[in-house]
Amino acid sequence: DFKAPFSPERDGPRDSSAAGIASLALLTLAEAVGVDSECGQRYLCAAVRTLQALASPKYLAQPGEAFSALFKHAVSNFPDNYGVDVGIIYGDYYGLSAFTKCASMQACRNYRL
């Protein structure tokens, strides 16, 4: 929810599942318009920045950490306070799909911020 208010006690809202989905979509858009175009570069930059955040210890569960998913801080239903700050299987799926797509795209692998 892009209009959700920031909650200091929750340090968010944060939603790693939405970040994974958006990253995959941004990479797909970058390919569709051409990664060398100005628009494609903007999509690619946003995707890479988001993936870098997802790869950080804040979002990526670390080896030995007792967590049931790959990505922490996902959200299922924020307005009803259901499934908030949890691991979600589809978040893992889309996050891994985005990393896999980036690895298969030379422009993404070589992207420098």
Side-chain angles (χ1 to χ4, degrees):
D1 183 354
F2 292 107
K3 294 180 183 178
F6 181 78
S7 171
E9 53 278 352
R10 283 196 172 149
D11 186 32
R14 307 264 183 237
D15 190 352
S16 61
S17 61
I21 293 166
S23 296
L24 183 59
L26 288 164
L27 291 172
T28 302
L29 286 168
E31 277 187 324
V33 300
V35 292
D36 293 327
S37 70
E38 182 180 335
C39 190
Q41 284 293 302
R42 284 197 307 267
Y43 291 141
L44 187 61
C45 178
V48 169
R49 286 179 182 269
T50 304
L51 289 173
Q52 285 180 326
L54 279 177
S56 74
K58 181 168 187 149
Y59 295 101
L60 184 64
Q62 301 300 299
E65 188 174 0
F67 197 75
S68 62
L70 293 173
F71 298 104
K72 302 179 279 188
H73 307 299
V75 176
S76 178
N77 184 343
F78 190 80
D80 290 334
N81 200 34
Y82 175 78
V84 175
D85 202 20
V86 296
I88 297 177
I89 189 83
Y90 62 80
D92 289 351
Y93 172 82
Y94 284 104
L96 284 176
S97 294
F99 280 105
T100 300
K101 186 165 191 69
C102 181
S104 73
M105 295 171 62
Q106 182 177 355
C108 192
R109 287 193 315 269
N110 296 336
Y111 195 85
R112 300 289 177 251
L113 295 173

